[in-house]
Amino acid sequence: MLERLEPHTARVTLGVDCAPNGNQASEREHLRKKAEIFADNYRTAKGLDKNEAWEGILTTVMATMKYPTAATQLTEADWDYVLSPIFTAGLPKAGIARNFPHDVLYGPILFQELGVMHMFDHQELEHLRILLQHGNRDTKLTELFKHSWEALRLELGVSGSLTDWNYA
């Protein structure tokens, strides 16, 4: 039996907690819950080597956080809220102070920093990848992009290509 839901009500679909009206609050809380479960497991883990702990952060929970980024539109502050329990519990297990500067944590390895990509940056790059991948294909997603682009042009009240206008 199908359940009728309001547009603001979210349900988990293919691992993403999404609502038809685009409300991201439920997805933020869904991801935060996953981060808290990971943090609780890490806090109680015994005999975890520092390198194993660091690799565990990068390859397990961060990969879990990457999965829904194509379908999310969380802000940088939302991602900081979601990731907070992971780094609060995970960094000490990896031999790094829990209040370690995030500029160094998210900085590139090239400059002798830790090279963790912030999930907000990953999310935005994932959106760009999808746009580029589907930009000139004949898919339903391409049609949605074209309709959204046209709606934006109409809302702005401009003719021609949006990239030809000077908005400064």
Side-chain angles (χ1 to χ4, degrees), residues 6-64:
E6 294 300 319
H8 61 275
T9 305
R11 288 289 186 259
V12 177
T13 306
L14 297 174
V16 180
D17 200 354
C18 57
N21 71 351
N23 184 356
Q24 298 286 303
S26 179
E27 176 63 14
R28 184 186 69 220
E29 294 307 319
H30 177 73
L31 290 171
R32 172 71 182 222
K33 191 68 162 166
K34 286 183 179 185
E36 288 171 350
I37 291 169
F38 173 84
D40 288 341
N41 290 337
Y42 246 46
R43 245 189 300 291
T44 59
K46 301 282 186 217
L48 196 59
D49 178 71
K50 291 177 183 180
N51 290 328
E52 291 171 350
W54 181 246
E55 287 301 316
I57 292 169
L58 298 179
T59 59
T60 58
V61 72
M62 293 302 273
T64 300

Side-chain angles (χ1 to χ4, degrees), residues 134-145:
H134 291 274
N136 60 356
R137 291 184 179 174
D138 189 23
T139 65
K140 291 291 182 189
L141 192 54
T142 304
E143 289 299 315
L144 287 172
F145 289 149

Side-chain angles (χ1 to χ4, degrees), residues 1-135:
M1 183 169 92
L2 290 176
E3 180 185 1
R4 181 179 169 88
L5 301 173
E6 294 300 319
H8 61 275
T9 305
R11 288 289 186 259
V12 177
T13 306
L14 297 174
V16 180
D17 200 354
C18 57
N21 71 351
N23 184 356
Q24 298 286 303
S26 179
E27 176 63 14
R28 184 186 69 220
E29 294 307 319
H30 177 73
L31 290 171
R32 172 71 182 222
K33 191 68 162 166
K34 286 183 179 185
E36 288 171 350
I37 291 169
F38 173 84
D40 288 341
N41 290 337
Y42 246 46
R43 245 189 300 291
T44 59
K46 301 282 186 217
L48 196 59
D49 178 71
K50 291 177 183 180
N51 290 328
E52 291 171 350
W54 181 246
E55 287 301 316
I57 292 169
L58 298 179
T59 59
T60 58
V61 72
M62 293 302 273
T64 300
M65 296 297 153
K66 286 179 183 177
Y67 175 75
T69 56
T72 60
Q73 295 176 336
L74 298 177
T75 65
E76 192 168 357
D78 287 340
W79 278 113
D80 288 339
Y81 169 75
V82 166
L83 298 174
S84 176
I86 295 169
F87 293 125
T88 301
L91 290 178
K93 287 287 185 180
I96 302 169
R98 96 179 56 239
N99 57 356
F100 192 72
H102 281 204
D103 289 342
V104 178
L105 180 67
Y106 295 122
I109 294 173
L110 174 69
F111 299 118
Q112 299 181 358
E113 298 181 5
L114 296 181
V116 176
M117 182 179 283
H118 196 287
M119 282 295 111
F120 177 76
D121 297 332
H122 178 80
Q123 171 187 267
E124 297 306 304
L125 289 172
E126 186 69 10
H127 293 171
L128 287 172
R129 184 192 65 78
I130 291 168
L131 278 170
L132 292 172
Q133 184 178 7
H134 291 274

